[in-house]
Amino acid sequence: MKRALFPGSFDPITLGHYDIIKRGVKLFDEVVVAIGINADKKYMFSIEERKSFIEKSFANEPKVKVTTYEGLTVDFCKEINAKFILRGLRNPADFEFEKAIAHTNRKLSKIETVFLLTASKTSYISSSIVRDVIRNNGDYSVLVPSSVTVTPK
């Protein structure tokens, strides 16, 4: 089985993430969307909310699994027998950052990183932009799957 891990914080999942996952299922037998847990980071959405957003987005796609993990991504890949890491690239800065991580992961294990370019219609979207739109009461719905909902606090 060709299993790929798509790691990230997904705070929240964006239409860019959604596009990469949809395209990833055409390349792999299974795509495991893995939400990394970092206790030092402050998130807008809880781990449960983020997991639910992704699960609802892919409820009708049996090739997508959603989980959480802590520690090194390559260690989690070994744990679930994923031979590939799937990553999306929006711009040259993403490439430079992701290239260094991919080289490190390749050095630590034999895992291959597969890069997909984001679709031009979603290449400007990032989770940090979405969070800023939400904080300022903007229409975030055009940037995320319909499963992402904000409960007023």
Side-chain angles (χ1 to χ4, degrees):
M1 172 184 279
K2 287 191 303 184
R3 178 178 290 133
L5 182 79
F6 186 42
S9 59
F10 305 103
D11 187 34
I13 183 173
T14 69
L15 290 176
H17 295 131
Y18 183 86
D19 176 62
I20 295 296
I21 297 165
K22 287 295 276 186
R23 290 166 48 213
V25 297
K26 294 176 185 170
L27 302 173
F28 300 100
D29 299 317
E30 184 176 84
V31 174
V32 178
V33 181
I35 305 167
I37 299 171
N38 181 343
D40 296 333
K41 246 179 137 176
K42 177 81 171 114
Y43 296 105
M44 177 174 275
F45 296 96
S46 71
I47 192 80
E48 295 82 12
E49 289 173 308
R50 290 179 277 150
K51 192 169 187 255
S52 175
F53 295 156
I54 301 165
E55 287 171 340
K56 286 177 184 172
S57 293
F58 293 96
N60 296 319
E61 179 48 75
K63 291 172 69 174
V64 174
K65 307 293 185 231
V66 185
T67 190
T68 62
Y69 77 104
E70 290 184 78
L72 291 177
T73 301
V74 291
D75 290 343
F76 189 64
C77 286
K78 288 177 195 169
E79 186 180 316
I80 66 165
N81 197 28
K83 303 287 188 229
F84 304 92
I85 295 174
L86 178 62
R87 299 298 294 159
L89 298 175
R90 293 173 299 187
N91 54 49
D94 277 358
F95 174 72
E96 290 303 321
F97 177 75
E98 293 290 346
K99 179 176 74 167
I101 294 171
H103 283 310
T104 302
N105 288 339
R106 185 81 172 96
K107 187 74 171 173
L108 295 174
S109 73
K110 296 298 178 206
I111 195 99
E112 291 290 348
T113 301
V114 176
F115 297 109
L116 294 180
L117 297 178
T118 57
S120 58
K121 65 183 178 185
T122 62
S123 64
Y124 66 94
I125 304 171
S126 69
S127 292
S128 56
I129 287 172
V130 173
R131 289 191 305 271
D132 196 45
V133 170
I134 291 169
R135 272 190 218 89
N136 290 287
N137 300 312
D139 182 10
Y140 65 91
S141 67
V142 297
L143 306 171
V144 297
S146 61
S147 63
V148 177
T149 56
V150 177
T151 307
K153 299 192 180 193

